[in-house]
Structure formats: structure tokens, C-alpha cells
């Protein structure tokens, strides 16, 4: 097949086929007159490339996976593909947690706008943007007894082994990114019973940075849950 025929058979534009050739994903033969020539194996190869790209794999990883696929051993492809997909799942979950946190911030802004009275005076910074509520929230927790102990155990399970350091008003914890979903859910529940805690999540590749802040009066409770008093010096583990 010439490139136009392969494009029609595979549904992949000729420009993309040329790009794949440049990237080393396709290796056409050449006719005596210099035209690209492809065999039936190119159609299967393109189907494999499309399937890999649909999983979000970058071209570099697709190229590595193609080398394994060419060996013809299904078990080898499975063994190579599984950790790649697992990494994409962890990345997607972490990004979903960041998006959920962003949505929660937008929702708080909407609620703040709905609570504001209609004033006729000049607008200040509080007209459209909510302040940091955790700074003025009462330092008290509505959980008691077994519920409080269970919540503490949940936090220690997720961040008990985190690398940590003190920051202004709180602590910064670094954990594997695949914990982002659980941490986001727990932080959301925590703010319902302890609104004086401030949580901020930042995804950084394979790790997640969790910053937790509290007013000075809540330093003891923050240290009990997260292992560092606000502003304290704690070297990274």
C-alpha cells in the first residue's frame, strides 16, 4: 500500500503517518521510484498505536511498548503495559482530586456571594471574593469519642509516613500521588467538623504536597493530627 491507501484503510491522516515515521513508530519500505510502501502489518501496528494513545500513553512509551509487542509474546506485553496503565490511573485520580478542590473553592465563592448583602457603598475586596474562613472559624471539633479516634487513625494511615516540614501557620506533607483521592475525601470531611483547618493540595508528578494550616489556637490539634506545630522546624524525612 502507498501512504494514501494506508491512510484510507487505517483512518489515520497521511500527515500523521509521516510524523509516526519520523518518530520511529512506522518503518515503510521504498519503491524504486521512492514512494513509501506499507504491508498489512502496518494496519495492525497503527491499531496498536491508537489503542495505546487512547490510554493516554505518550509517544515515547508507545515506542517502548511497540518494541515489546513486536516480540509476539502476549505475556510480555501484558507485564509491560500494566504498570504504565496503573501510573495513568494514579495520575488521573490525583488530577481529579485537584479539580475537586478547585470546584469546592468555586462553590465557596458562590456561597459567599449569596450571603453578601446588597450594599450601595463602594466595593472592597470582600465584595466578590471570600476571605480565608479558617482564620476566623472557632477552634473546636464536633467529633468526639470513637469518631474522633477513627478520624485520627484515618489521617495517620494516609500521611503518617509523609515527608514533612513546617510552613507558616502549618505543615507541608509530601506523599505518593495515588493517595490524592483519599486525602481529598478526608480533608472535605475534616472541614465539616473542624472548619479551622485549611487544606491545600498540589500535584507534582508522582507525589502530592498537602499543606495544612490552622490558627495559633489550633496548633495543638494540628500537631496531634499531622505531626508538626504551625511554623515549627521539622526536617524533611
Amino acid at each position: 500500500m502507498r501512504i494514501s491507501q494506508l491512510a484510507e484503510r487505517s483512518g489515520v491522516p497521511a500527515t500523521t503517518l509521516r510524523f509516526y515515521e519520523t518518530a520511529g513508530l512506522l518503518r515503510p519500505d521504498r519503491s524504486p521510484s521512492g514512494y513509501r510502501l506499507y504491508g498489512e502489518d502496518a494496519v495492525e501496528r497503527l491499531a496498536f498505536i491508537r489503542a495505546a494513545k487512547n490510554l493516554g500513553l505518550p509517544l515515547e512509551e508507545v515506542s517502548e511498548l511497540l518494541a515489546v509487542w513486536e516480540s509476539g509474546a502476549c505475556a510480555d506485553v501484558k507485564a509491560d503495559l500494566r504498570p504504565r496503565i496503573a501510573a495513568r490511573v494514579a495520575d488521573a485520580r490525583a488530577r481529579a482530586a485537584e479539580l475537586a478542590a478547585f470546584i469546592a473553592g468555586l462553590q465557596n465563592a458562590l456561597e459567599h456571594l449569596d450571603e453578601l448583602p446588597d450594599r450601595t457603598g463602594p466595593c472592597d475586596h470582600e465584595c466578590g471574593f471570600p476571605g480565608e474562613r479558617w482564620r476566623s472559624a472557632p477552634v473546636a471539633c464536633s467529633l468526639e469519642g470513637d469518631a474522633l479516634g477513627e478520624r485520627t487513625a484515618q489521617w495517620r494511615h494516609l500521611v503518617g509516613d509523609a515527608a514533612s516540614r513546617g510552613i507558616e501557620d502549618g505543615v507541608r506533607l509530601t506523599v505518593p500521588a495515588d493517595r490524592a483521592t483519599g486525602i481529598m475525601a478526608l480533608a472535605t470531611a475534616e472541614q465539616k467538623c473542624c472548619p479551622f483547618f485549611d487544606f491545600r493540595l498540589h500535584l507534582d508528578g508522582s507525589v502530592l504536597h498537602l499543606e495544612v494550616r490552622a490558627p495559633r489556637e489550633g496548633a495543638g490539634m494540628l500537631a496531634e493530627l499531622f505531626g508538626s506545630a504551625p511554623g515549627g522546624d521539622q526536617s524533611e524525612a
Side-chain angles (χ1 to χ4, degrees):
M1 289 176 288
R2 290 189 178 182
I3 192 168
S4 59
Q5 294 171 311
L6 179 60
E8 184 177 354
R9 283 278 304 277
S10 65
V12 179
T15 52
T16 303
L17 295 177
R18 294 188 185 95
F19 172 73
Y20 285 168
E21 180 185 346
T22 302
L25 301 180
L26 281 178
R27 295 187 294 272
D29 295 324
R30 291 281 180 172
S31 69
S33 56
Y35 288 105
R36 294 175 176 87
L37 295 177
Y38 300 89
E40 287 295 326
D41 61 309
V43 179
E44 293 184 11
R45 191 179 186 88
L46 287 169
F48 186 88
I49 293 172
R50 175 177 292 176
K53 285 180 59 63
N54 285 343
L55 294 175
L57 297 179
L59 283 182
E60 181 180 352
E61 291 192 34
V62 174
S63 179
E64 295 170 357
L65 193 57
L66 271 171
V68 180
W69 177 71
E70 286 179 328
S71 71
C74 182
D76 292 339
V77 175
K78 175 182 175 182
D80 189 276
L81 183 58
R82 194 183 192 290
R84 298 179 191 273
I85 295 178
R88 298 299 298 170
V89 169
D91 180 66
R93 285 176 174 168
R95 293 184 183 280
E98 279 199 332
L99 181 59
F102 179 64
I103 292 173
L106 293 176
Q107 187 61 44
N108 286 338
L110 280 177
E111 293 174 359
H112 174 73
L113 286 173
D114 291 340
E115 293 170 0
L116 285 175
D118 293 330
R119 298 183 299 182
T120 58
C123 184
D124 56 28
H125 70 281
E126 292 186 353
C127 282
F129 303 98
E132 295 182 296
R133 296 184 179 182
W134 63 276
R135 293 187 182 277
S136 58
V139 178
C141 182
S142 60
L143 294 180
E144 297 180 354
D146 292 343
L148 181 58
E150 181 179 353
R151 176 64 55 77
T152 301
Q154 290 172 330
W155 275 119
R156 288 177 179 168
H157 172 70
L158 285 173
V159 301
D161 61 346
S164 64
R165 65 180 176 86
I167 59 175
E168 184 178 1
D169 296 320
V171 60
R172 190 186 203 215
L173 308 169
T174 301
V175 298
D178 59 7
R179 301 184 193 176
T181 302
I183 287 175
M184 182 61 201
L186 199 54
T188 300
E190 191 68 48
Q191 284 208 316
K192 292 180 181 178
C193 61
C194 299
F196 61 91
F197 280 136
D198 176 63
F199 297 95
R200 303 181 192 186
L201 287 77
H202 172 66
L203 178 64
D204 185 13
S206 62
V207 299
L208 175 76
H209 302 298
L210 169 66
E211 294 184 356
V212 190
R213 294 175 173 80
R216 185 176 300 277
E217 297 81 0
M221 296 182 69
L222 187 145
E224 183 177 351
L225 277 180
F226 305 104
S228 178
D233 283 332
Q234 185 167 347
S235 60
E236 295 190 28

